[in-house]
Amino acid sequence: MDFTDSRPNPDELLASLKLQEEKSKRGKLKIFFGMCAGVGKTYTMLKTAQAEKSKGCDIIIGYVETHNRKETSDLVKGFEVIPRNTYQYKSTTVYEMDLDAIVARKPMLVLVDELAHTNAPGSRHAKRYQDVLEILDNGINVYTTVNVQHLESRSDTVAQITGVVVRETLPDEIFENADEIEVIDLTPDELLQRLAEGKVYAPERSKEAVVSFFRKGNITALREMALRIVADRVDRQLHEYMQLKRIKGPWKSGLHLLVAVSHTQQSAKLLRWAKNLSYTMGADLQAIYVETSYKPDTKESEQLNKNISLARQLGIKFRFITNTNMVKAIVDFAQKENITHIIIGKPRVRNLLTLLRLGNFVNRLIRYSGNIDVYILGSDIQSKDRFKEKVSLPSFTSNIRQYLTASLTVILTATICYFIKGLIGYQVVSFALLFVVSTLAFFFGTGPILLSATMSALIWDFFFIPPAFTLHVDKPEDMLMLIMFFIIALLSGVLTSRIKRQERKIRIREERTNALYQLTRELSTATGIQEVISIAKNDIKKYFNLNCRILLKNDENQLEYSSKKDTSFTISKNDMSVAAWTFQHSTKAGKHTDTLPSANYTFYPLKGNQMNLGVVAIQQEIIFTQGEEQFWEAFISQISGKFEREYLRDMAKQAFLLNESDKLYKTLFNSISHELRIPVATIMGASDSLLTTQHTDEIRNELSVEIFKASKRLNRLIENLLNMSRLESGRITPRLDWCDIHDLINKVTESLQDELKPFSLHVVIPDDMPFIKIDFGLMEQVLYNLIYNATQYAYTSTNLRVKAFYDNGITTLQVMDRGPGFPDKEISLIFNKFYRVEGSKAGGTGLGLSIAKGFTEAHKGTITVENRQNGGAKFTIKIPTEIPQTELKG
Amino acid sequence: MNLPETILVIDDEVQIRRLLEITLSSNGFKISEAGTGKEGLIAAATHNPALIVLDLGLPDTDGIEILKKIREWYQKPIIILSVKNSEDDIINALDNGANDYLTKPFRTGELLARIRVALRHIPGSDVDPNLTFGNLTIDLVNHIARKNEDILKLTSTEFSLLSLLAKNSGRVLTHQSILKEIWGFGYLGQTQILRVFVAQLRKKIEDDPAKPKFLITESGIGYRFHE
């Protein structure tokens, strides 16, 4: 029993759930699907909508074409119709659906006809389905109509069946992801009947064309196609349903297809075919392009870009791989991705060289692919210019100077050899020439090498091989040697030039890797959004030679138009709305894209892992090649990542600050409210008592003293709070002036007279204490706080010492008391704001010491505390100070 | 006793005005009040008070501007009321003609003392050539200072400094005004010279130079000779 087959694939289950979740947020898309025009899709759509409307659903018409058919027009009545936008296009007026009006109106359901329609130039999106996607994104449900021939993957087949090339195509992805599909089916006979009655509107076609299109055979084929598509879909839905509900069933084996794409038109067909195959097989499909040393020309590059965008439209995951060995690249990738089937196009054989190259390719791919199946799709595209297409060997891109230098070198060597040929013999000359040709190959392109190889061969033959001065060769061994000489010269030249081309490719890749590395390194050291912006701008200029403008979101999550400094890059209001669109939808837009291509710039979203960060606008003259685009995306994703990190850091910082200030606020409230209340209570109580009671003079006096004391306490608190706020705001710049330290200490002890009474104060200042330059007011406060603190905690009748001395540019102030000192584990915390030692006596806010610290630090000084040996605390302030240069005499 | 002298209080706080009214009128002064700088200017012109108490933090105009405007014609003393931590403002006011200052919150006793000192030093009034402060006497005519009847050996600069401070006893003198008066304009900003002389002078006139009784430091502003 094989378990693997019956077990649901967890990845697929997850994907399925994710899809469900995404779908539930978005609006629902219902497609009315038909085999061709005239089956009554619009009619059915309107009918269904009417039924919904009668149930109370808010339905509007975004865009419906009635083609003046009465039955359809009658149905439109009763619906609110959003007026269309008008566009002037080449002297004709074009009407298009007004997307913004619909989104603004925000109905429950909107009817939009003809999903595959191409919008008029100047509209926001190139295609109507893009409009519809935007509507769905806004949570609005959509009813729409589609004909089978408009499906991207079927357009080729339709063209084959009917002979009509369909230009308005719809990516299969949109169709496949629709929430509901209703088939409007008519038998071919019924349809032809309607056609005959004139009930079928067939635009822009001549009568003959209509007749040739609506042939019974055609209609039958289209009908079969439409029905099969829907049948497949139903099958798949069943499969999805079984997965979702974990129903064990006949799982289709996990099939993974890989289609190898080239830069030919044939690959487009290959992609469509592969898509169909994967659809019917219920398999997953990826596409791969292998970039080898072969350099596609402009036309081929264009075709490649087309193929890639087709793949994306078809919803195929596209991978771009650089490897000189195409077979190895494909097989390696296939093995890594568990690919079960590889699909390739049958190579077209143009000439011997491609036969060798490509024929080999198919054989080798089959040989190396092991148990992976290889499908080879036949080629039927008649390329008229197939012989005009360039053979990859060799390319003559070298300039005249290279040709000249190459020929001169050969001539010079030949001349030297001519004079010494007596010494070395004519055979050795061939080696000398061969050496020269091989050496030249390192410096020059294929052209000059071919020339010098040919020249050397001729010169050797003419001047050296006997008989000299004729092209005639006598000996057959010489003839053989001449031929070998020519071939070796040619091969070595060509091979070397090929190596050089490879080298250049590798160098470009290396440069790109290096650029990314440099960017990452620069970004890693950058701090702050502004710095990141300037690095990003510089590097984009440096590596892409592009001017850019970075627009970032603001706190309200909206794109901000800022940085007025940038004059080189003005963004108009129109461009700004494109930028806003890009930001909102995190999809590139603007010039060279499908969305709003009339903008002046191309806008790329800056996408982070969790959020969109903004938009980068670039002034791009040439479209990026595929490789460049990948490089560019990698580049901006690095930048986006950095921006995101910066944002997250800012957010974290803000949260931290908020938290801190919250904490501070609480502490402040707890400690301050208590500290404020006590003196206020004293003042109120005492004064109230004075007002209401007749006291003796003595008591009145005592009460007044209490009021005075309480006011002083209150004043001290306010003083501390003000000082704290001064410190917090960072506005403290000491006003340094000469100060007599005696004066300073005296001033403080004077104002603390009362508090100092229970202690014996000893002030120790050496006789040679110089004047020092400090801020008198600030240091007064520092000393005041320290001494006041000592008076609050020291044991009464003990000694309180204040010491000052100057030594070698540093003034030291010390305050020492005999009290309990500080608990060792808390001693490091006492300078913290609002910190109060556990169990310390009531009163005090825990601000005094932190203010002392702040003011000392404003003097570039330090404050430390230690417990004294026999009990008590010792505060030491050290301040670097200036002293007078010369002794002054009176 | 003469007629009670009028004191104009310019302060925007009603409570402060009320407090001053009670304190001053109970001490024999007449009070006129103004709540804004403009009102103050008008009141000063109409009442011609003997002294003005001016709050620097007025709601309508900068106190310094009011001070300058009043000083254009008003010769009598002006005492500044100010909040602490604004030494620059105080010095600025003193340099612009204010006679003294007090920081809020203040003791009413202190204010009364300052008012009395200021009223005594009305310009033009005669100065007694012999000044006595406790055990210290200064003979301005003969340039002699005595402490407990002993003649103090003072240099001429020391004596000039002493007599300047003593003549303005009770009033604060800013560092710069002292430097300008004794040493001249060229010494403005040379506060260390002043500190040296103040320290020397204290050693000679004070009983305990570490705890001066006469020559008092006004933090960050200047000196005051205590009566």
Side-chain angles (χ1 to χ4, degrees):
Chain A
M1 172 98 195
D2 193 354
F3 287 104
T4 46
D5 273 354
S6 58
R7 189 168 50 94
N9 178 347
D11 282 340
E12 276 178 35
L13 273 176
L14 202 67
S16 167
L17 284 172
K18 212 173 144 191
L19 203 69
Q20 287 268 328
E21 198 184 322
E22 260 173 35
K23 275 185 178 174
S24 67
K25 269 183 276 174
R26 300 177 75 221
K28 298 240 184 294
L29 177 68
K30 178 168 183 170
I31 294 176
F32 293 85
F33 187 58
M35 56 186 168
C36 65
V39 292
K41 295 182 301 294
T42 309
Y43 180 83
T44 319
M45 175 170 83
L46 286 164
K47 264 280 202 231
T48 318
Q50 252 186 359
E52 287 293 318
K53 193 179 160 73
S54 64
K55 285 187 224 157
C57 184
D58 177 21
I59 303 173
I60 58 164
I61 289 182
Y63 191 103
V64 164
E65 202 62 74
T66 59
H67 303 302
N68 294 324
R69 279 204 293 270
K70 193 176 170 295
E71 42 201 65
T72 318
S73 322
D74 287 347
L75 279 173
V76 169
K77 282 172 199 156
F79 284 110
E80 179 187 339
V81 181
I82 297 289
R84 294 172 191 182
N85 267 341
T86 51
Y87 292 93
Q88 281 301 325
Y89 181 63
K90 287 181 186 167
S91 81
T92 53
T93 311
V94 189
Y95 298 94
E96 292 293 355
M97 181 171 77
D98 190 347
L99 174 60
D100 290 325
I102 292 168
V103 172
R105 166 70 175 73
K106 212 167 180 14
M108 262 164 90
L109 175 68
V110 61
L111 311 184
V112 180
D113 220 351
E114 296 286 346
L115 188 61
H117 173 77
T118 303
N119 286 336
S123 313
R124 179 181 304 162
H125 299 293
K127 295 283 195 169
R128 182 170 290 163
Y129 72 81
Q130 290 173 304
D131 293 345
V132 166
L133 285 179
E134 205 173 323
I135 295 173
L136 291 170
D137 279 341
N138 280 287
I140 301 167
N141 302 325
V142 178
Y143 279 4
T144 189
T145 62
V146 172
N147 281 334
V148 69
Q149 76 254 37
H150 292 137
L151 282 182
E152 182 72 56
S153 59
R154 310 292 151 147
S155 61
D156 275 354
T157 324
V158 173
Q160 275 179 355
I161 295 168
T162 62
V164 177
V165 179
V166 182
R167 293 223 161 66
E168 300 200 321
T169 55
L170 177 75
D172 287 40
E173 204 185 1
I174 309 291
F175 184 79
E176 280 167 32
N177 285 331
D179 298 271
E180 214 179 315
I181 287 174
E182 185 172 335
V183 195
I184 317 302
D185 191 33
L186 274 182
T187 60
D189 289 333
E190 279 172 323
L191 181 66
L192 289 172
Q193 173 83 31
R194 281 176 59 112
L195 186 72
E197 288 165 8
K199 283 183 180 169
V200 175
Y201 175 79
E204 78 244 0
R205 279 182 205 144
S206 66
K207 205 167 180 180
E208 297 84 63
V210 170
V211 170
S212 81
F213 183 85
F214 287 100
R215 271 185 293 131
K216 197 170 174 181
N218 280 357
I219 297 169
T220 312
L222 286 173
R223 185 177 181 217
E224 192 234 337
M225 198 190 282
L227 292 175
R228 250 179 74 175
I229 287 169
V230 179
D232 278 346
R233 196 183 133 88
V234 170
D235 191 41
R236 248 162 62 112
Q237 271 172 347
L238 176 72
H239 184 68
E240 257 176 41
Y241 177 80
M242 290 201 298
Q243 277 216 340
L244 196 67
K245 302 286 174 194
R246 293 167 166 277
I247 296 169
K248 279 190 182 182
W251 300 109
K252 283 197 179 168
S253 56
L255 294 179
H256 300 282
L257 309 187
L258 176 69
V259 53
V261 178
S262 76
H263 39 72
T264 58
Q265 214 178 329
Q266 188 199 4
S267 288
K269 195 179 148 71
L270 187 65
L271 278 166
R272 290 201 176 94
W273 188 84
K275 178 71 192 174
N276 286 343
L277 185 69
S278 79
Y279 197 90
T280 34
M281 284 169 82
D284 152 78
L285 174 64
Q286 297 187 54
I288 185 177
Y289 175 81
V290 183
E291 186 188 39
T292 59
S293 62
Y294 175 77
K295 189 169 167 264
D297 61 24
T298 349
K299 224 176 122 196
E300 286 170 334
S301 290
E302 255 171 47
Q303 183 60 47
L304 177 62
N305 281 335
K306 269 188 204 159
N307 291 350
I308 289 163
S309 65
L310 174 70
R312 292 211 168 130
Q313 270 186 30
L314 291 171
I316 303 171
K317 213 191 315 171
F318 202 94
R319 293 290 286 268
F320 201 77
I321 285 175
T322 308
N323 196 329
T324 48
N325 189 337
M326 206 187 288
V327 173
K328 195 171 168 348
I330 295 172
V331 173
D332 280 355
F333 181 82
Q335 275 164 355
K336 210 169 66 199
E337 296 282 318
N338 289 325
I339 298 295
T340 51
H341 298 72
I342 296 173
I343 302 159
I344 56 168
K346 193 170 169 185
R348 274 175 297 152
V349 181
R350 303 191 194 97
N351 51 34
L352 195 69
L353 265 170
T354 44
L355 177 70
L356 283 173
R357 201 156 58 90
L358 296 173
N360 202 11
F361 162 72
V362 175
N363 287 337
R364 272 176 38 232
L365 184 64
I366 291 167
R367 185 141 34 100
Y368 290 113
S369 56
N371 55 357
I372 303 170
D373 295 348
V374 178
Y375 282 60
I376 303 162
L377 188 71
S379 146
D380 65 350
I381 292 166
Q382 297 299 315
S383 177
K384 281 180 211 155
D385 56 1
R386 57 197 274 183
F387 293 109
K388 276 200 247 158
E389 279 182 44
K390 207 171 3 176
V391 180
S392 74
L393 296 170
S395 70
F396 297 93
T397 47
S398 317
N399 59 26
I400 291 290
R401 254 185 60 205
Q402 288 196 0
Y403 284 98
L404 274 176
T405 320
S407 1
L408 281 177
T409 316
V410 171
I411 292 167
L412 192 71
T413 317
T415 317
I416 294 168
C417 290
Y418 188 74
F419 289 112
I420 55 170
K421 93 175 157 180
L423 258 92
I424 55 175
Y426 73 90
Q427 271 121 337
V428 179
V429 172
S430 70
F431 286 105
L433 287 169
L434 204 58
F435 174 73
V436 169
V437 173
S438 312
T439 317
L440 285 173
F442 281 103
F443 305 103
F444 302 137
T446 323
I449 298 312
L450 278 178
L451 177 73
S452 48
T454 319
M455 269 176 69
S456 324
L458 290 173
I459 288 172
W460 187 51
D461 183 9
F462 193 75
F463 292 101
F464 296 92
I465 298 177
F469 304 107
T470 58
L471 285 175
H472 184 72
V473 181
D474 272 350
K475 290 188 254 173
E477 60 260 41
D478 282 348
M479 191 66 210
L480 197 66
M481 214 152 142
L482 180 67
I483 293 165
M484 270 162 59
F485 175 88
F486 185 67
I487 290 170
I488 290 170
L490 206 67
L491 280 179
S492 72
V494 169
L495 284 176
T496 316
S497 113
R498 203 188 209 173
I499 288 165
K500 265 173 61 194
R501 260 209 319 263
Q502 292 265 36
E503 241 176 28
R504 199 165 53 233
K505 265 216 165 107
I506 290 165
R507 208 168 52 236
I508 288 171
R509 276 185 56 181
E510 235 167 41
E511 272 167 15
R512 285 175 183 173
T513 316
N514 199 30
L516 278 174
Y517 170 69
Q518 286 290 343
L519 176 75
T520 319
R521 224 181 47 179
E522 279 174 51
L523 286 176
S524 70
T525 58
T527 46
I529 301 253
Q530 280 311 318
E531 207 179 322
V532 179
I533 290 181
S534 77
I535 286 173
K537 275 185 162 173
N538 280 343
D539 281 11
I540 286 171
K541 180 81 198 159
K542 194 157 122 197
Y543 297 116
F544 294 91
N545 196 26
L546 285 172
N547 283 322
C548 75
R549 178 84 180 258
I550 291 168
L551 301 165
L552 294 173
K553 66 169 190 148
N554 58 21
D555 292 339
E556 280 89 54
N557 211 22
Q558 257 158 4
L559 206 59
E560 197 162 33
Y561 182 73
S562 62
S563 70
K564 295 132 208 153
K565 294 170 226 161
D566 210 341
T567 47
S568 62
F569 208 96
T570 45
I571 289 185
S572 69
K573 220 175 154 193
N574 202 13
D575 289 330
M576 200 54 211
S577 64
V578 184
W581 191 92
T582 307
F583 176 66
Q584 237 172 31
H585 296 78
S586 54
T587 315
K588 69 172 178 177
K591 201 171 174 184
H592 307 308
T593 67
D594 285 347
T595 308
L596 300 158
S598 60
N600 294 319
Y601 310 110
T602 316
F603 295 86
Y604 286 85
L606 293 169
K607 280 186 280 194
N609 283 328
Q610 296 162 36
M611 53 180 161
N612 286 346
L613 297 133
V615 167
V616 57
I618 51 170
Q619 199 159 18
Q620 203 180 357
E621 296 309 330
I622 326 152
I623 310 172
F624 281 143
T625 64
Q626 205 55 39
E628 278 168 351
E629 178 99 18
Q630 276 203 339
F631 174 43
W632 167 253
E633 271 167 14
F635 208 81
I636 59 170
S637 97
Q638 283 290 334
I639 294 168
S640 312
K642 179 66 183 177
F643 273 128
E644 187 171 43
R645 285 195 293 280
E646 285 293 318
Y647 267 109
L648 290 176
R649 217 189 51 178
D650 276 6
M651 271 159 69
K653 211 163 112 189
Q654 266 173 18
F656 175 75
L657 282 179
L658 218 65
N659 193 22
E660 275 290 286
S661 75
D662 197 46
K663 238 164 66 190
L664 199 68
Y665 183 74
K666 274 185 195 145
T667 338
L668 193 81
F669 238 70
N670 290 339
S671 105
I672 303 297
S673 58
H674 176 262
E675 272 302 291
L676 277 169
R677 244 186 223 132
I678 300 303
V680 169
T682 313
I683 293 169
M684 272 176 78
S687 52
D688 188 49
S689 168
L690 281 172
L691 283 170
T692 53
T693 324
Q694 291 289 330
H695 289 295
T696 61
D697 277 0
E698 203 187 331
I699 290 177
R700 275 173 46 172
N701 202 37
E702 267 179 38
L703 287 172
S704 305
V705 168
E706 283 311 310
I707 293 175
F708 187 66
K709 271 193 191 162
S711 321
K712 263 178 83 173
R713 185 171 167 187
L714 209 52
N715 190 41
R716 208 166 33 238
L717 171 67
I718 291 164
E719 203 73 23
N720 272 341
L721 282 173
L722 287 175
N723 282 328
M724 200 67 223
S725 76
R726 269 170 82 193
L727 268 174
E728 293 280 294
S729 67
R731 275 186 290 123
I732 295 220
T733 31
R735 271 187 342 138
L736 300 180
D737 198 357
W738 296 107
C739 160
D740 186 344
I741 205 85
H742 295 89
D743 230 9
L744 179 78
I745 293 171
N746 177 249
K747 198 75 200 164
V748 174
T749 51
E750 197 100 308
S751 51
L752 282 169
Q753 249 173 5
D754 295 341
E755 285 83 356
L756 280 167
K757 261 179 199 153
F759 306 95
S760 73
L761 177 74
H762 295 269
V763 178
V764 187
I765 304 170
D767 287 340
D768 60 348
M769 181 73 202
F771 291 152
I772 52 170
K773 235 181 180 178
I774 52 167
D775 185 312
F776 197 98
L778 293 185
M779 283 318 290
E780 191 184 343
Q781 192 69 50
V782 171
L783 219 50
Y784 180 97
N785 286 0
L786 292 185
I787 296 175
Y788 177 80
N789 203 60
T791 63
Q792 296 303 298
Y793 296 100
Y795 306 124
T796 42
S797 322
T798 52
N799 284 341
L800 231 161
R801 291 163 70 86
V802 179
K803 215 171 144 185
F805 56 89
Y806 173 86
D807 184 37
N808 203 17
I810 305 280
T811 300
T812 308
L813 285 166
Q814 288 177 324
V815 177
M816 292 163 269
D817 67 40
R818 289 287 178 203
F822 294 98
D824 284 334
K825 57 176 181 177
E826 292 181 66
I827 203 159
S828 59
L829 303 168
I830 61 161
F831 291 111
N832 287 358
K833 245 180 333 204
F834 298 113
Y835 188 82
R836 303 209 62 218
V837 172
E838 249 174 79
S840 58
K841 68 175 192 180
T845 51
L847 280 174
L849 290 180
S850 65
I851 289 170
K853 182 170 188 252
F855 284 2
T856 307
E857 282 169 358
H859 280 84
K860 299 187 169 56
T862 57
I863 185 166
T864 52
V865 62
E866 60 193 285
N867 284 324
R868 298 174 71 190
Q869 255 183 4
N870 297 318
K874 174 177 170 184
F875 285 90
T876 307
I877 293 169
K878 284 185 183 295
I879 300 176
T881 39
E882 198 184 322
I883 57 164
Q885 293 293 308
T886 47
E887 220 20 63
L888 288 153
K889 293 239 162 61
Chain B
M1 194 76 193
N2 310 341
L3 279 171
E5 289 176 289
T6 307
I7 292 175
L8 170 62
V9 177
I10 308 175
D11 195 311
D12 59 324
E13 286 293 335
V14 182
Q15 267 200 308
I16 298 280
R17 292 209 303 268
R18 180 98 188 101
L19 174 71
L20 290 182
E21 197 197 330
I22 295 166
T23 319
L24 294 177
S25 55
S26 67
N27 279 282
F29 295 103
K30 231 181 104 181
I31 300 297
S32 102
E33 292 175 26
T36 63
K38 249 185 206 157
E39 280 174 37
L41 274 174
I42 297 165
T46 43
H47 298 295
N48 192 19
L51 184 143
I52 296 173
V53 177
L54 172 66
D55 180 15
L56 279 186
L58 289 170
D60 58 337
T61 351
D62 183 10
I64 294 287
E65 291 308 309
I66 298 291
L67 173 67
K68 282 181 188 164
K69 276 195 182 135
I70 294 177
R71 261 290 173 253
E72 281 170 15
W73 55 271
Y74 184 79
Q75 309 289 330
K76 292 172 205 172
I78 299 175
I79 293 176
I80 297 295
L81 278 185
S82 155
V83 287
K84 225 191 153 185
N85 296 331
S86 53
E87 285 145 12
D88 290 325
D89 291 345
I90 293 165
I91 293 170
N92 195 6
L94 291 170
D95 288 344
N96 275 292
N99 297 60
D100 212 332
Y101 80 97
L102 263 180
T103 52
K104 285 180 187 171
F106 53 87
R107 304 168 104 160
T108 43
E110 188 78 34
L111 177 69
L112 276 171
R114 298 286 165 83
I115 289 174
R116 290 201 179 105
V117 167
L119 286 173
R120 215 186 316 128
H121 289 292
I122 302 278
S125 62
D126 290 336
V127 176
D128 189 342
N130 280 306
L131 302 169
T132 306
F133 304 93
N135 57 4
L136 190 69
T137 51
I138 301 156
D139 181 347
L140 294 174
V141 181
N142 299 306
H143 284 229
I144 293 170
R146 284 188 178 84
K147 191 182 173 189
N148 300 327
E149 300 304 317
D150 300 329
I151 294 178
L152 294 170
K153 286 176 186 166
L154 299 176
T155 64
S156 64
T157 315
E158 282 167 2
F159 187 81
S160 308
L161 179 61
L162 178 61
S163 54
L164 175 71
L165 288 162
K167 274 190 279 183
N168 291 289
S169 64
R171 276 179 65 186
V172 66
L173 295 176
T174 62
H175 297 133
Q176 303 310 324
S177 68
I178 299 170
L179 282 166
K180 195 171 73 185
E181 196 74 29
I182 310 284
W183 283 275
F185 278 102
Y187 285 84
L188 285 182
Q190 307 282 312
T191 42
Q192 81 271 30
I193 297 178
L194 182 56
R195 309 258 177 215
V196 173
F197 280 92
V198 166
Q200 283 171 5
L201 198 56
R202 274 180 181 154
K203 273 179 199 156
K204 291 176 184 176
I205 63 168
E206 302 282 1
D207 293 335
D208 179 3
K211 289 184 174 174
K213 292 267 179 301
F214 297 117
L215 224 171
I216 309 296
T217 301
E218 290 284 321
S219 315
I221 291 167
Y223 294 99
R224 182 194 302 275
F225 203 80
H226 200 260
E227 291 178 282

